[in-house]
Structures are given as C-alpha cells and as structure tokens.
Amino acid sequence: MSKEFFVTPFPVENEQSTVWRYMDFTKFISLLDKKRLFLCRADRFEDSFEGSLPVVNIDNSKTDFYREKILEGKWGYAKMQEYLKEKSERSELIKRFVYISSWYLNEYESAAMWKLYAQTNEAVAIKSTVKYLRESLPKYDELLIGRVKYIDYKKEYMEEVPLVDRFFYKRKSFEYEEEVRVVIFNLNEKWDSRFQAVEVNGGIYVKTKIDSLIDEIYVAPNSPNWFQELVENVAKLYGINKPVIRTSLDDKALY
C-alpha cells in the first residue's frame, strides 16, 4: 500500500500534550517485563461500532448504487443488495487486522478513568506525552498515532477515508474518554521483523522503549503506602527510575 494510505487523520497538534494509560498492577508488570506495549485487536473491543460507518454514509452508498447500477439497467435490485452485503462483511472483517492501544489525553488525571480501568486500588497510571509515546515505538508507515473524533453515527457524515481511518472515529457517547490511539494496520498473516511485534490471542505486543515512554507513575486512589513502595521497588528492579506519585485525588481538602 502507498504511504498516502497511512496518514494520521487527526494528529495531536501539540506533541508535548500529556497522555495517560490506566492499568492494574499485573498489566504494569507485564509492560515492564516484556518491554512491549499491548495493542488489542479491534474485533475484541466491546464497542461494536469500531470501524463502522454512520447511517448517512450507508444511505448515500445505497442511493449512489441505485442511480448508477439500477436506473441505468446494469444491475437488478437483488444484485445490488447482495453486493452491498458483501461489501459490509469485508469492511467488518478488517477489524481482525487492526490493533489499538488507547490513551487518555488530558493535562490532569481523571477520577472517571481510575474507576473504569483500575478495578482495585492496586493499580497504576502511566503519565507520558504524545512525543514520548511516539518516540518509544518503532517507526513504520503502518503505525499511526492520533486523536479520536466523536460523531453522531445517526446524523453525521464521515468523510470518505481509507478503512484504517475509520478507527479514529467513535460515537459521541464516548466523548468523555478524550482518546488518543496508537493504531497498527497489517493485512499480512505474519509479522515481519521490521514490526518488532509478537502476536498473541486477541492482540499484539510491540517492542517499546519503556524508559522513554514513562514520564511519571501514579498509584491509584486510596492505595496503601506499601503498594506505592512496591511499585517504586518493582520499577527500579526493571531499570525504570521515574517518580512514583500518589494521586492528587488523595489530597486532603482545606476548609
């Protein structure tokens, strides 16, 4: 595929923008131990709208085919319906070849993100920047980093984009996530050496410069002191000498 196919649709304008990744302690250990970032395959996400098109796009497509194929006598209605069904199935199949890592774009940590992605108080959040995230990952055309655009899938039209760009769109209901995505698109059955990726059930692990990725490490709200000490010791054990900070959500109010 041409390089033009792999262009981030919504780049983050300021590379110094802060991003966060919330995770339980076991996933944190896995990140340090493997020295690889996990990207989940798109068909494993709970949101069934991943990579899909809005209603307006589908209706326009049907109208265009009706005008071009049926009114001109090239196709019958049944053949058009069959073609559109096959096209839809092929588009949905693409999800098996797209891999995503989600990050929260905000200067400040989020109480909502802690509740969503840290099921216990033995969890951490990695604080980084878009620049650090980009520089920590291998450089190749098929790896894209960009913001997610939130649209109304019932009313809004999605500009005609390459299939991979659809994975930078989500429904308005998810706008609170303020998501930045790392997206890899690979149609090959195997990962060649330049990808530096290892495929597992449900995703891939991509070789990552962990020390370059992590700026600071935050421990979850209401976590015990011993847990903060454990995170500090484990990070040092893996050669990560970055600050381990107690979340500001534990700060005491002044009256």
Side-chain angles (χ1 to χ4, degrees), residues 106-233:
N106 204 302
E107 181 182 353
Y108 304 100
E109 58 182 312
S110 165
M113 294 297 111
W114 278 119
K115 290 181 179 179
L116 277 174
Y117 298 105
Q119 300 301 317
T120 72
N121 58 8
E122 295 175 13
V124 304
I126 291 175
K127 182 181 180 182
S128 187
T129 67
V130 175
K131 182 176 185 289
Y132 291 162
L133 178 60
R134 188 184 306 283
E135 292 179 348
S136 70
L137 294 167
K139 293 178 175 60
Y140 40 84
D141 296 333
E142 295 88 342
L143 189 153
L144 305 176
I145 298 177
R147 295 179 295 105
V148 169
K149 182 176 182 179
Y150 301 93
I151 63 173
D152 187 333
Y153 274 64
K154 291 183 178 180
K155 298 178 181 178
E156 293 186 63
Y157 177 78
M158 183 187 295
E159 295 297 328
E160 295 298 330
V161 295
L163 285 175
V164 66
D165 287 7
R166 296 182 189 178
F167 294 90
F168 286 95
Y169 286 87
K170 292 187 75 172
R171 287 177 290 170
K172 285 281 190 180
S173 303
F174 294 93
E175 206 160 13
Y176 66 91
E177 292 180 346
E178 300 184 59
E179 188 176 351
V180 164
R181 286 186 159 183
V182 179
V183 175
I184 293 178
F185 181 55
N186 180 32
L187 280 173
N188 300 321
E189 292 185 1
K190 295 183 180 180
W191 296 89
D192 58 41
S193 58
R194 70 191 174 90
F195 278 95
Q196 303 182 59
V198 176
E199 187 169 12
V200 294
N201 185 32
I204 56 171
Y205 285 99
V206 177
K207 189 173 182 180
T208 308
K209 299 173 185 175
I210 302 301
D211 195 51
S212 299
L213 171 66
I214 298 175
D215 185 21
E216 297 173 339
I217 303 166
Y218 281 64
V219 294
N222 303 312
S223 58
N225 290 333
W226 63 260
F227 179 69
Q228 182 175 357
E229 293 173 4
L230 176 62
V231 173
E232 290 174 345
N233 292 336

Side-chain angles (χ1 to χ4, degrees), residues 75-91:
W75 283 6
Y77 182 77
K79 185 176 181 181
M80 183 189 79
Q81 289 293 94
E82 181 182 354
Y83 173 81
L84 291 174
K85 182 175 182 295
E86 291 177 356
K87 183 181 178 182
S88 174
E89 290 172 349
R90 288 197 303 271
S91 295

Side-chain angles (χ1 to χ4, degrees), residues 40-50 95 116-117 170-171 174 181:
C40 184
R41 207 169 70 195
D43 65 336
R44 297 300 184 96
F45 279 72
E46 291 183 1
D47 183 11
S48 62
F49 277 68
E50 290 287 351
K95 292 199 287 188
L116 277 174
Y117 298 105
K170 292 187 75 172
R171 287 177 290 170
F174 294 93
R181 286 186 159 183

Side-chain angles (χ1 to χ4, degrees), residues 1-106:
M1 295 183 182
S2 66
K3 288 187 177 181
E4 288 74 17
F5 186 86
F6 301 106
V7 178
T8 305
F10 309 112
V12 181
E13 294 180 2
N14 183 2
E15 288 273 302
Q16 302 300 329
S17 297
T18 299
V19 290
W20 304 79
R21 176 72 181 174
Y22 297 81
M23 64 189 73
D24 60 38
F25 186 61
T26 55
K27 289 182 179 178
F28 177 64
I29 293 292
S30 175
L31 175 68
L32 300 185
D33 187 55
K34 288 183 169 61
K35 296 182 174 60
R36 292 177 181 272
L37 183 66
F38 179 73
L39 279 72
C40 184
R41 207 169 70 195
D43 65 336
R44 297 300 184 96
F45 279 72
E46 291 183 1
D47 183 11
S48 62
F49 277 68
E50 290 287 351
S52 67
L53 288 170
V55 172
V56 178
N57 288 70
I58 300 299
D59 288 344
N60 286 355
S61 181
K62 289 179 179 179
T63 300
D64 290 342
F65 271 92
Y66 181 79
R67 289 171 179 168
E68 295 175 10
K69 302 296 184 181
I70 294 182
L71 293 183
E72 294 181 10
K74 297 177 181 178
W75 283 6
Y77 182 77
K79 185 176 181 181
M80 183 189 79
Q81 289 293 94
E82 181 182 354
Y83 173 81
L84 291 174
K85 182 175 182 295
E86 291 177 356
K87 183 181 178 182
S88 174
E89 290 172 349
R90 288 197 303 271
S91 295
E92 187 173 9
L93 183 63
I94 291 295
K95 292 199 287 188
R96 296 181 57 85
F97 304 95
V98 175
Y99 302 82
I100 299 169
S101 175
S102 301
W103 294 72
Y104 175 66
L105 177 67
N106 204 302

